[in-house]
Amino acid sequence: MTNARKMASIPPVLGSPGIDAIDWPMVERDLDAGGCAVLMQLVSPDACRALAALYPDDRHFRSRVVMARHGFGRGEYKYFSYPLPDPIARLRPLLYARLVAIANRWNAAMGIDVHYPAEHADFLARCHQAGQTRPTPLLLQYVEGDYNCLHQDLYGEHVFPLQVAILLSEPGRDFDGGEFVLTEQRPRMQSRAEVVPLRQGDAVVFAVHNRPVQGTRGSYRVNMRHGVSRLRGGQRHTLGVIFHDAK
């Protein structure tokens, strides 16, 4: 079967009722309050299964990373190559368009003199001009005992401050454990951890690196990291949608 046929066999990626029906003002409030927000049923169950089924076929990917070899944890992931599978190529700019205003407002609040263009293609052109030409959407695979250490997905000078992880497997049926975890470190305070409950097809939008927090003297930056807790059984697949490309 050719790549084109395999990609065409993926059903429509968006779940019901779709991206336009998401309460985006609530998403913005959740991001401001805690650095993350859940998009429920973003991807349909059929599309989740079809995307996860791409993992064994290396024709779709530019590289494979075994986490234990680099001290990243246990488990593995693969970065997609360009051209991206059509469902991912369509979903990436749709999500960017909904998040870019938040990203620009956050940068202004943190005193970061970077403004993101309205179109994702224009932002990718900026990345590519700086030598960040390698695609960053990825599929992650975990089995029993695997986990992902706390980290940040930066990849170069140009960083979009939000990213999305979509759970392709069903907790309690396909796997146990393996919760998505965020930590937040505020100046002169102990770190705060948050576990984000997700079901198959749900997505979490979260801060890549820093986010603004309103203090008594204005906004200040807090440092964010994310990871996955230890899988207690089964197999877990996740689609990661990062909006900047890598060097």
Side-chain angles (χ1 to χ4, degrees):
M1 184 179 290
T2 66
N3 281 9
R5 288 180 180 176
K6 286 201 75 170
M7 292 180 190
S9 70
I10 300 175
V13 69
L14 290 176
S16 179
I19 198 168
D20 291 333
I22 292 170
D23 187 345
W24 289 101
M26 177 63 75
V27 169
E28 185 167 6
R29 289 193 293 270
D30 288 346
L31 284 166
D32 286 343
C36 68
V38 175
L39 312 180
M40 296 181 65
Q41 299 179 340
L42 178 71
V43 175
S44 69
D46 287 345
C48 285
R49 289 187 285 270
L51 288 166
L54 296 178
Y55 196 83
D57 188 349
D58 285 339
R59 292 176 298 175
H60 299 291
F61 303 98
R62 64 174 175 85
S63 65
R64 170 175 173 259
V65 177
V66 177
M67 296 186 201
R69 295 176 183 170
H70 306 278
F72 296 164
R74 280 182 53 180
E76 60 181 63
Y77 53 88
K78 295 179 179 179
Y79 289 105
F80 283 99
S81 57
Y82 279 133
L84 299 174
D86 185 63
I88 302 170
R90 286 186 281 111
L91 183 59
R92 200 182 186 200
L94 285 174
L95 290 170
Y96 176 93
R98 293 290 186 168
L99 299 172
V100 66
I102 302 171
N104 282 324
R105 182 171 57 79
W106 276 16
N107 273 11
M110 292 186 290
I112 298 173
D113 189 22
V114 174
H115 185 86
Y116 302 100
E119 298 293 330
H120 186 240
D122 294 332
F123 176 60
L124 283 184
R126 182 186 297 178
C127 291
H128 293 178
Q129 289 169 4
Q132 294 178 219
T133 59
R134 296 188 296 164
T136 50
L138 70 162
L139 273 182
L140 302 100
Q141 177 174 274
Y142 305 88
V143 296
E144 184 175 353
D146 289 351
Y147 60 94
N148 197 344
C149 294
L150 295 170
H151 65 283
Q152 299 168 326
D153 297 312
L154 301 177
Y155 299 124
E157 173 189 358
H158 296 283
V159 175
F160 192 75
L162 295 161
Q163 69 188 72
V164 177
I166 304 166
L167 185 60
L168 303 180
S169 307
E170 177 62 24
R173 182 192 69 196
D174 300 324
F175 70 95
D176 294 301
E179 296 90 355
F180 182 86
V181 180
L182 280 169
T183 64
E184 174 184 275
Q185 186 173 13
R186 300 188 183 190
R188 299 176 297 281
M189 297 175 68
Q190 293 185 337
S191 296
R192 180 182 70 90
E194 181 160 353
V195 176
V196 182
L198 299 171
R199 308 300 300 184
Q200 184 183 47
D202 290 349
V204 56
V205 186
F206 57 98
V208 174
H209 184 201
N210 298 125
R211 75 176 185 92
V213 171
Q214 185 65 36
T216 57
R217 299 182 179 179
S219 294
Y220 61 93
R221 302 182 195 183
V222 298
N223 193 48
M224 306 291 294
R225 295 182 183 275
H226 65 278
V228 173
S229 69
R230 181 171 56 87
L231 209 74
R232 295 177 177 84
Q235 188 176 69
R236 179 189 193 273
H237 287 97
T238 305
L239 171 65
V241 181
I242 299 165
F243 298 102
H244 48 275
D245 277 351
K247 279 194 173 181

